[in-house]
Amino acid sequence: MNDDNKQDFKKNFSNSFVWFLMAAFLMALMVQNFLDTKVAKVSFSYQLENLVNLDLIQPEDSRKVAIKDPLVTFSGKFRERKTDEGKKRFKYIELLNENHQLSAEKETIEGELKGLHGKVHDSSAWFLLLSGTPLPKNGYVIVDDFYSNPDQDYSVIVSKLPDKKIDNLVDLQNEFHSLNAKSSVDSVKSFGDSLSSLIRNFRSPLLGIGNETMKQSLRGIEREVDKVNEATKATNIQRLQVYEHSIDKLQGVVTQLNKTENHVRLSQLRSVRNYKSSIDEYSQVNAKLDENDVQLDRAQASVNHVIWFFDNKELSTKALGKQDSEAFHHWFLNAKEEWDN
């Protein structure tokens, strides 16, 4: 009797264990299937617009049910993989967004160039006044027309100088040659004051020298001149020696500034350097925009048949390209998020 009970117990336990294993296996399959299934919650209409626009869902499995105005529930099934059609559509809106960004960047740089053009002209005119450089008949060229294009002239030429009476290097050089050890102390000291004033003007923000080596040289010249000017016991010879040395150094600064490099003069001035940098940046953006235009035309041709859902409106491909760039950018970011996910 006891043996029979033991055999029945073993038989029931064995059958129960088999059923338990089968149930566990089926449960594991269901969980695995659930985990492999792509599930997304669509809470806003723009999300659904992007899913349709980029061909990410299967149209035959899509359902919309109106609960109450204006609420609608949506159910659908994602495609197994991104389609070639979806890739063409995303490529187009990606290039269109890039086109908007480059066009905006180009417009910004154009505005900056207009402002910098005036600053270059003003600082260059100030240089001509301080150095005493005569104005050529056809004007003093800072940036020639090498960087210009048929649509825009980026050359900078100073054709007229402001009517200002200030000490300049040429005048002081001529005055220095009239001084000697026998000149009056007052005339030598007066010259020293004029020279000191000229050096300060060379260091002023109106000229705006940006080269650090040149700035340090000017600081050194100013210290030497100020020191001898303040020395009550300095002789005319001592003063004139310092002044001559300082004038030679100033002439070296003027000569270096006046050099033409890459079709640009006064490239050591901050205004000129910034202007040249903006021209280079403008050229790079222009080149990128030209390349983008070619790619965009090709991409547009492949999606001209598409009706796009944009901000609760149905638009043709041509009409989509004319939407406000800022609104389109926000719309594109949402589309990109759905595409990447």
Side-chain angles (χ1 to χ4, degrees):
M1 183 68 176
N2 289 336
D3 291 339
D4 291 339
N5 288 337
K6 288 181 180 179
Q7 289 177 358
D8 290 340
F9 175 76
K10 289 181 180 179
K11 183 178 180 181
N12 290 335
F13 176 78
S14 176
N15 290 338
S16 298
F17 185 69
V18 171
W19 282 109
F20 174 77
L21 288 178
M22 291 179 65
F25 178 72
L26 291 173
M27 182 63 69
L29 286 177
M30 292 173 63
V31 171
Q32 182 66 33
N33 184 62
F34 177 77
L35 292 176
D36 288 343
T37 302
K38 299 178 181 178
V39 178
K41 182 178 180 182
V42 179
S43 303
F44 303 98
S45 59
Y46 69 80
Q47 292 177 290
L48 181 56
E49 287 180 346
N50 294 324
L51 295 177
V52 175
N53 286 334
L54 299 177
D55 201 29
L56 293 174
I57 54 176
Q58 297 182 8
E60 63 274 12
D61 292 325
S62 301
R63 303 288 184 272
K64 289 187 290 184
V65 179
I67 302 176
K68 61 179 180 179
D69 190 37
L71 298 178
V72 176
T73 60
F74 168 80
S75 63
K77 185 177 181 181
F78 282 107
R79 294 186 182 278
E80 292 293 330
R81 60 185 62 83
K82 294 174 181 176
T83 64
D84 291 339
E85 175 67 18
K87 292 176 181 178
K88 291 178 183 178
R89 296 182 185 186
F90 181 76
K91 184 64 175 179
Y92 170 69
I93 62 174
E94 185 178 42
L95 287 169
L96 183 56
N97 181 69
E98 182 183 355
N99 187 274
H100 289 325
Q101 300 299 306
L102 288 172
S103 297
E105 190 176 352
K106 177 182 177 181
E107 187 176 346
T108 299
I109 298 174
E110 285 175 344
E112 292 175 352
L113 283 171
K114 289 180 181 178
L116 289 171
H117 186 283
K119 292 181 179 179
V120 169
H121 187 279
D122 292 344
S123 60
S124 301
W126 186 241
F127 166 78
L128 293 174
L129 287 175
L130 294 179
S131 63
T133 302
L135 194 64
K137 182 179 179 180
N138 296 323
Y140 182 78
V141 179
I142 296 98
V143 180
D144 64 26
D145 58 4
F146 177 80
Y147 299 100
S148 300
N149 56 62
D151 299 323
Q152 191 67 46
D153 181 12
Y154 291 113
S155 62
V156 183
I157 303 174
V158 177
S159 302
K160 185 179 179 181
L161 295 178
D163 187 17
K164 290 184 178 181
K165 297 296 182 181
I166 60 172
D167 292 319
N168 66 66
L169 183 58
V170 171
D171 288 344
L172 289 187
Q173 284 172 331
N174 293 331
E175 184 179 348
F176 178 79
H177 291 145
S178 67
L179 297 174
N180 54 53
K182 295 180 180 180
S183 299
S184 66
V185 174
D186 289 341
S187 62
V188 174
K189 284 185 176 181
S190 176
F191 178 85
D193 292 338
S194 297
L195 181 57
S196 180
S197 177
L198 178 62
I199 296 169
R200 284 196 297 272
N201 284 332
F202 267 99
R203 295 189 61 204
S204 75
L206 289 175
L207 185 60
I209 294 176
N211 182 280
E212 192 59 36
T213 302
M214 200 174 291
K215 288 163 66 176
Q216 289 178 3
S217 177
L218 287 171
R219 281 195 292 267
I221 298 172
E222 185 177 29
R223 281 195 300 267
E224 291 177 6
V225 172
D226 287 346
K227 183 178 180 180
V228 77
N229 283 347
E230 295 167 1
T232 57
K233 295 182 180 181
T235 65
N236 280 356
I237 294 179
Q238 290 173 328
R239 294 179 191 276
L240 292 175
Q241 285 177 342
V242 172
Y243 298 157
E244 182 179 21
H245 180 66
S246 299
I247 288 174
D248 289 343
K249 281 193 172 182
L250 271 182
Q251 182 59 57
V253 169
V254 169
T255 301
Q256 188 175 350
L257 285 172
N258 203 27
K259 287 181 179 179
T260 300
E261 298 177 357
N262 297 323
H263 306 273
V264 177
R265 267 196 185 114
L266 305 178
S267 57
Q268 307 298 336
L269 302 186
R270 282 190 294 273
S271 59
V272 177
R273 184 176 59 196
N274 292 339
Y275 186 71
K276 174 62 167 56
S277 177
S278 291
I279 290 177
D280 291 340
E281 186 179 2
Y282 181 81
S283 299
Q284 293 172 4
V285 170
N286 234 358
K288 290 180 181 179
L289 190 57
D290 289 342
E291 183 180 354
N292 174 271
D293 285 337
V294 174
Q295 295 177 341
L296 184 60
D297 288 342
R298 191 182 302 123
Q300 181 176 334
S302 67
V303 294
N304 272 329
H305 63 283
V306 178
I307 298 299
W308 302 85
F309 296 97
F310 178 88
D311 195 20
N312 296 319
K313 295 178 292 186
E314 294 183 11
L315 301 175
S316 66
T317 298
K318 185 176 181 180
L320 182 67
K322 297 180 179 179
Q323 298 305 302
D324 175 75
S325 59
E326 186 174 349
F328 180 87
H329 179 65
H330 290 300
W331 177 83
F332 170 75
L333 291 179
N334 291 325
K336 186 176 186 303
E337 183 178 357
E338 297 299 334
W339 181 258
D340 291 340
N341 288 337

